[in-house]
Amino acid sequence: MSSSALPPLLPSTPPSVPLPRRLILSPPDLLSFQKSNAYKSLLSYVASITSALSSSTAAQAAMRGTVKGSSTGVTERLVEVMEMLHDWARAVPASSKRARFGDPQFRVFSSYVSSHGPSLLSYVQTSLPSLPSSPISPPSPPSTSVHNLLPHLASCFGHPTRLDYGTGHELSYLILLFSLRLPPLDVPEAFEAYLGVTRCLQEKFYLEPAGSHGVWGLDDYHLLPFLFGSSSLSSPASGSAPKDALDPSWSPLPTNLYSTSLRHTLALKSSAPFHVVSPTLHSLTSIPTWSKVAAGLMRMWKAEVLDKFVV
């Protein structure tokens, strides 16, 4: 596989059965979702991730640099897919004329994800022996599980029409991990690979922060990396406190999602002080413990993402 070349797009063929579609179209639909088993299961999955990451055993493993969980085959293949998509994102040329928000070339990347999505997901689920490095026919028809996962993969990198990205797209990736039954301790590894793709897309194609200029994201775009990262820091084994984030050299764990996301945010917004460019993140430094930060971010995510009706 060439790390810089884009594979040709596959011929577009209508699916044999309709793809799953969005069903939360009104506030009453949201209320129905909140009473569903799917809602309860998704909340339980996120709680299991934060609980596993905050355990002293997980924190001690992270301090040793062995941050991975059970490193399942699914996790390894998903990371490989994200790395390939990162290569594709780098290979798609940006427009010669820069817009303040939204380069239409992002739609080219989205078309590749949609075109090769069945093959990529089949590889993650071991139905294919290798990643698609050349035009190949996806399973015909795709398995039921692949068919149901396609919309989540297609939508987790941003909206090709609005040319934006926000916590709703991040939620699509979480649902993908949940549907793949990714072990909680493998989630940071899977998210780190995913963030490599999204950050490349956001910076290269100037995706607009979704919502009211990113109001639901702690860094304009994301929230979950900060929740999962603060959870892993909440064990006494981390030896860290939220106020440590005020130190520009702070780097508690090599792959902690909170610290890496914070450093990425401050690097992009280096023209002004921390408290000016990221007031919400800065306010978290006054909270005494990481466990309280994680609990607050969990409430914020539930209220502002999972329980929010998005127009």
mmCIF file of all heavy atoms in Angstrom, residues 241-268:
data_model
loop_
_atom_site.group_PDB
_atom_site.id
_atom_site.type_symbol
_atom_site.label_atom_id
_atom_site.label_comp_id
_atom_site.label_asym_id
_atom_site.label_seq_id
_atom_site.Cartn_x
_atom_site.Cartn_y
_atom_site.Cartn_z
ATOM 1 N N ALA A 241 -2.405 16.906 39.054
ATOM 2 C CA ALA A 241 -3.584 17.659 39.452
ATOM 3 C C ALA A 241 -3.965 18.592 38.304
ATOM 4 O O ALA A 241 -3.109 18.959 37.477
ATOM 5 C CB ALA A 241 -3.311 18.466 40.713
ATOM 6 N N PRO A 242 -5.231 18.993 38.204
ATOM 7 C CA PRO A 242 -5.657 19.862 37.101
ATOM 8 C C PRO A 242 -4.857 21.146 36.956
ATOM 9 O O PRO A 242 -4.635 21.615 35.836
ATOM 10 C CB PRO A 242 -7.129 20.153 37.436
ATOM 11 C CG PRO A 242 -7.583 18.948 38.196
ATOM 12 C CD PRO A 242 -6.389 18.552 39.026
ATOM 13 N N LYS A 243 -4.383 21.715 38.075
ATOM 14 C CA LYS A 243 -3.622 22.966 37.999
ATOM 15 C C LYS A 243 -2.302 22.787 37.242
ATOM 16 O O LYS A 243 -1.727 23.764 36.750
ATOM 17 C CB LYS A 243 -3.354 23.507 39.394
ATOM 18 C CG LYS A 243 -2.476 22.603 40.251
ATOM 19 C CD LYS A 243 -2.250 23.200 41.642
ATOM 20 C CE LYS A 243 -1.363 22.291 42.489
ATOM 21 N NZ LYS A 243 -1.131 22.858 43.845
ATOM 22 N N ASP A 244 -1.835 21.523 37.125
ATOM 23 C CA ASP A 244 -0.584 21.275 36.415
ATOM 24 C C ASP A 244 -0.690 21.654 34.939
ATOM 25 O O ASP A 244 0.326 21.901 34.282
ATOM 26 C CB ASP A 244 -0.185 19.803 36.532
ATOM 27 C CG ASP A 244 0.129 19.398 37.968
ATOM 28 O OD1 ASP A 244 0.454 20.292 38.773
ATOM 29 O OD2 ASP A 244 0.030 18.192 38.285
ATOM 30 N N ALA A 245 -1.926 21.686 34.420
ATOM 31 C CA ALA A 245 -2.112 22.026 33.009
ATOM 32 C C ALA A 245 -1.719 23.460 32.701
ATOM 33 O O ALA A 245 -1.572 23.838 31.531
ATOM 34 C CB ALA A 245 -3.562 21.784 32.602
ATOM 35 N N LEU A 246 -1.540 24.290 33.729
ATOM 36 C CA LEU A 246 -1.092 25.664 33.521
ATOM 37 C C LEU A 246 0.380 25.735 33.138
ATOM 38 O O LEU A 246 0.846 26.742 32.614
ATOM 39 C CB LEU A 246 -1.328 26.488 34.799
ATOM 40 C CG LEU A 246 -2.793 26.721 35.193
ATOM 41 C CD1 LEU A 246 -2.863 27.317 36.595
ATOM 42 C CD2 LEU A 246 -3.485 27.613 34.185
ATOM 43 N N ASP A 247 1.112 24.666 33.410
ATOM 44 C CA ASP A 247 2.535 24.613 33.099
ATOM 45 C C ASP A 247 2.706 24.235 31.621
ATOM 46 O O ASP A 247 2.283 23.158 31.206
ATOM 47 C CB ASP A 247 3.223 23.574 33.988
ATOM 48 C CG ASP A 247 4.721 23.502 33.753
ATOM 49 O OD1 ASP A 247 5.222 24.149 32.807
ATOM 50 O OD2 ASP A 247 5.397 22.776 34.506
ATOM 51 N N PRO A 248 3.308 25.090 30.793
ATOM 52 C CA PRO A 248 3.466 24.785 29.366
ATOM 53 C C PRO A 248 4.231 23.490 29.095
ATOM 54 O O PRO A 248 4.064 22.885 28.032
ATOM 55 C CB PRO A 248 4.232 26.001 28.826
ATOM 56 C CG PRO A 248 3.928 27.089 29.795
ATOM 57 C CD PRO A 248 3.816 26.419 31.141
ATOM 58 N N SER A 249 5.060 23.071 30.035
ATOM 59 C CA SER A 249 5.846 21.851 29.827
ATOM 60 C C SER A 249 5.147 20.603 30.359
ATOM 61 O O SER A 249 5.705 19.509 30.303
ATOM 62 C CB SER A 249 7.212 21.991 30.504
ATOM 63 O OG SER A 249 7.064 22.098 31.918
ATOM 64 N N TRP A 250 3.922 20.758 30.878
ATOM 65 C CA TRP A 250 3.199 19.628 31.479
ATOM 66 C C TRP A 250 2.934 18.548 30.447
ATOM 67 O O TRP A 250 2.383 18.797 29.392
ATOM 68 C CB TRP A 250 1.885 20.119 32.073
ATOM 69 C CG TRP A 250 1.010 19.046 32.668
ATOM 70 C CD1 TRP A 250 1.268 18.297 33.758
ATOM 71 C CD2 TRP A 250 -0.282 18.642 32.198
ATOM 72 N NE1 TRP A 250 0.229 17.422 34.011
ATOM 73 C CE2 TRP A 250 -0.748 17.626 33.067
ATOM 74 C CE3 TRP A 250 -1.089 19.040 31.130
ATOM 75 C CZ2 TRP A 250 -1.966 16.993 32.890
ATOM 76 C CZ3 TRP A 250 -2.316 18.421 30.954
ATOM 77 C CH2 TRP A 250 -2.743 17.405 31.835
ATOM 78 N N SER A 251 3.362 17.342 30.747
ATOM 79 C CA SER A 251 3.119 16.185 29.880
ATOM 80 C C SER A 251 3.121 14.952 30.762
ATOM 81 O O SER A 251 4.105 14.206 30.832
ATOM 82 C CB SER A 251 4.199 16.082 28.804
ATOM 83 O OG SER A 251 3.937 14.999 27.939
ATOM 84 N N PRO A 252 1.989 14.667 31.432
ATOM 85 C CA PRO A 252 1.971 13.610 32.441
ATOM 86 C C PRO A 252 2.142 12.210 31.886
ATOM 87 O O PRO A 252 2.817 11.377 32.463
ATOM 88 C CB PRO A 252 0.596 13.773 33.086
ATOM 89 C CG PRO A 252 -0.244 14.370 32.000
ATOM 90 C CD PRO A 252 0.670 15.286 31.257
ATOM 91 N N LEU A 253 1.541 11.945 30.754
ATOM 92 C CA LEU A 253 1.608 10.614 30.150
ATOM 93 C C LEU A 253 1.893 10.786 28.664
ATOM 94 O O LEU A 253 1.369 11.700 28.038
ATOM 95 C CB LEU A 253 0.288 9.859 30.330
ATOM 96 C CG LEU A 253 -0.251 9.757 31.765
ATOM 97 C CD1 LEU A 253 -1.637 9.145 31.753
ATOM 98 C CD2 LEU A 253 0.682 8.944 32.628
ATOM 99 N N PRO A 254 2.674 9.906 28.082
ATOM 100 C CA PRO A 254 3.039 10.084 26.673
ATOM 101 C C PRO A 254 1.832 10.131 25.742
ATOM 102 O O PRO A 254 1.850 10.833 24.739
ATOM 103 C CB PRO A 254 3.918 8.862 26.388
ATOM 104 C CG PRO A 254 4.407 8.405 27.720
ATOM 105 C CD PRO A 254 3.327 8.740 28.687
ATOM 106 N N THR A 255 0.791 9.392 26.078
ATOM 107 C CA THR A 255 -0.338 9.297 25.161
ATOM 108 C C THR A 255 -1.650 9.659 25.831
ATOM 109 O O THR A 255 -2.706 9.207 25.412
ATOM 110 C CB THR A 255 -0.431 7.872 24.578
ATOM 111 O OG1 THR A 255 -0.473 6.926 25.655
ATOM 112 C CG2 THR A 255 0.738 7.565 23.679
ATOM 113 N N ASN A 256 -1.604 10.501 26.875
ATOM 114 C CA ASN A 256 -2.847 10.878 27.525
ATOM 115 C C ASN A 256 -3.651 11.809 26.633
ATOM 116 O O ASN A 256 -3.141 12.818 26.147
ATOM 117 C CB ASN A 256 -2.560 11.566 28.857
ATOM 118 C CG ASN A 256 -3.831 12.026 29.542
ATOM 119 O OD1 ASN A 256 -4.215 13.180 29.414
ATOM 120 N ND2 ASN A 256 -4.496 11.124 30.246
ATOM 121 N N LEU A 257 -4.929 11.479 26.411
ATOM 122 C CA LEU A 257 -5.755 12.238 25.480
ATOM 123 C C LEU A 257 -5.986 13.673 25.946
ATOM 124 O O LEU A 257 -6.116 14.576 25.121
ATOM 125 C CB LEU A 257 -7.094 11.534 25.280
ATOM 126 C CG LEU A 257 -7.071 10.261 24.431
ATOM 127 C CD1 LEU A 257 -8.422 9.551 24.484
ATOM 128 C CD2 LEU A 257 -6.696 10.579 22.996
ATOM 129 N N TYR A 258 -6.047 13.895 27.247
ATOM 130 C CA TYR A 258 -6.277 15.257 27.750
ATOM 131 C C TYR A 258 -5.073 16.141 27.446
ATOM 132 O O TYR A 258 -5.217 17.234 26.885
ATOM 133 C CB TYR A 258 -6.552 15.231 29.252
ATOM 134 C CG TYR A 258 -7.077 16.542 29.803
ATOM 135 C CD1 TYR A 258 -8.435 16.704 30.056
ATOM 136 C CD2 TYR A 258 -6.232 17.620 30.058
ATOM 137 C CE1 TYR A 258 -8.932 17.913 30.552
ATOM 138 C CE2 TYR A 258 -6.709 18.818 30.549
ATOM 139 C CZ TYR A 258 -8.062 18.960 30.799
ATOM 140 O OH TYR A 258 -8.550 20.147 31.271
ATOM 141 N N SER A 259 -3.896 15.686 27.818
ATOM 142 C CA SER A 259 -2.716 16.531 27.651
ATOM 143 C C SER A 259 -2.380 16.742 26.180
ATOM 144 O O SER A 259 -2.034 17.859 25.767
ATOM 145 C CB SER A 259 -1.516 15.932 28.386
ATOM 146 O OG SER A 259 -1.202 14.644 27.893
ATOM 147 N N THR A 260 -2.497 15.705 25.360
ATOM 148 C CA THR A 260 -2.189 15.866 23.943
ATOM 149 C C THR A 260 -3.213 16.772 23.264
ATOM 150 O O THR A 260 -2.867 17.581 22.399
ATOM 151 C CB THR A 260 -2.120 14.511 23.225
ATOM 152 O OG1 THR A 260 -3.360 13.785 23.419
ATOM 153 C CG2 THR A 260 -0.975 13.671 23.753
ATOM 154 N N SER A 261 -4.486 16.654 23.661
ATOM 155 C CA SER A 261 -5.520 17.512 23.073
ATOM 156 C C SER A 261 -5.335 18.964 23.515
ATOM 157 O O SER A 261 -5.512 19.895 22.719
ATOM 158 C CB SER A 261 -6.909 17.013 23.475
ATOM 159 O OG SER A 261 -7.163 15.720 22.944
ATOM 160 N N LEU A 262 -4.971 19.159 24.772
ATOM 161 C CA LEU A 262 -4.737 20.513 25.264
ATOM 162 C C LEU A 262 -3.568 21.146 24.542
ATOM 163 O O LEU A 262 -3.633 22.300 24.102
ATOM 164 C CB LEU A 262 -4.483 20.484 26.769
ATOM 165 C CG LEU A 262 -4.152 21.826 27.422
ATOM 166 C CD1 LEU A 262 -5.300 22.812 27.253
ATOM 167 C CD2 LEU A 262 -3.826 21.632 28.898
ATOM 168 N N ARG A 263 -2.462 20.410 24.410
ATOM 169 C CA ARG A 263 -1.297 20.957 23.718
ATOM 170 C C ARG A 263 -1.624 21.282 22.265
ATOM 171 O O ARG A 263 -1.157 22.292 21.722
ATOM 172 C CB ARG A 263 -0.115 19.965 23.775
ATOM 173 C CG ARG A 263 0.438 19.756 25.160
ATOM 174 C CD ARG A 263 0.929 21.060 25.785
ATOM 175 N NE ARG A 263 0.665 21.074 27.224
ATOM 176 C CZ ARG A 263 0.277 22.121 27.894
ATOM 177 N NH1 ARG A 263 0.078 23.269 27.281
ATOM 178 N NH2 ARG A 263 0.046 22.070 29.183
ATOM 179 N N HIS A 264 -2.420 20.438 21.613
ATOM 180 C CA HIS A 264 -2.805 20.695 20.228
ATOM 181 C C HIS A 264 -3.619 21.984 20.138
ATOM 182 O O HIS A 264 -3.398 22.826 19.253
ATOM 183 C CB HIS A 264 -3.617 19.517 19.689
ATOM 184 C CG HIS A 264 -4.143 19.723 18.304
ATOM 185 N ND1 HIS A 264 -3.337 19.640 17.182
ATOM 186 C CD2 HIS A 264 -5.399 20.027 17.854
ATOM 187 C CE1 HIS A 264 -4.068 19.871 16.110
ATOM 188 N NE2 HIS A 264 -5.325 20.115 16.475
ATOM 189 N N THR A 265 -4.556 22.160 21.070
ATOM 190 C CA THR A 265 -5.399 23.354 21.081
ATOM 191 C C THR A 265 -4.569 24.607 21.275
ATOM 192 O O THR A 265 -4.731 25.606 20.552
ATOM 193 C CB THR A 265 -6.450 23.254 22.206
ATOM 194 O OG1 THR A 265 -7.263 22.098 21.986
ATOM 195 C CG2 THR A 265 -7.333 24.484 22.243
ATOM 196 N N LEU A 266 -3.669 24.590 22.249
ATOM 197 C CA LEU A 266 -2.868 25.779 22.550
ATOM 198 C C LEU A 266 -1.862 26.089 21.440
ATOM 199 O O LEU A 266 -1.529 27.245 21.204
ATOM 200 C CB LEU A 266 -2.153 25.597 23.885
ATOM 201 C CG LEU A 266 -3.080 25.471 25.108
ATOM 202 C CD1 LEU A 266 -2.257 25.328 26.388
ATOM 203 C CD2 LEU A 266 -4.026 26.665 25.200
ATOM 204 N N ALA A 267 -1.416 25.049 20.736
ATOM 205 C CA ALA A 267 -0.505 25.281 19.616
ATOM 206 C C ALA A 267 -1.222 25.997 18.473
ATOM 207 O O ALA A 267 -0.646 26.858 17.790
ATOM 208 C CB ALA A 267 0.077 23.958 19.133
ATOM 209 N N LEU A 268 -2.495 25.647 18.266
ATOM 210 C CA LEU A 268 -3.269 26.284 17.202
ATOM 211 C C LEU A 268 -3.682 27.708 17.571
ATOM 212 O O LEU A 268 -3.911 28.535 16.688
ATOM 213 C CB LEU A 268 -4.524 25.460 16.894
ATOM 214 C CG LEU A 268 -4.316 24.104 16.226
ATOM 215 C CD1 LEU A 268 -5.662 23.420 16.026
ATOM 216 C CD2 LEU A 268 -3.597 24.253 14.892
#
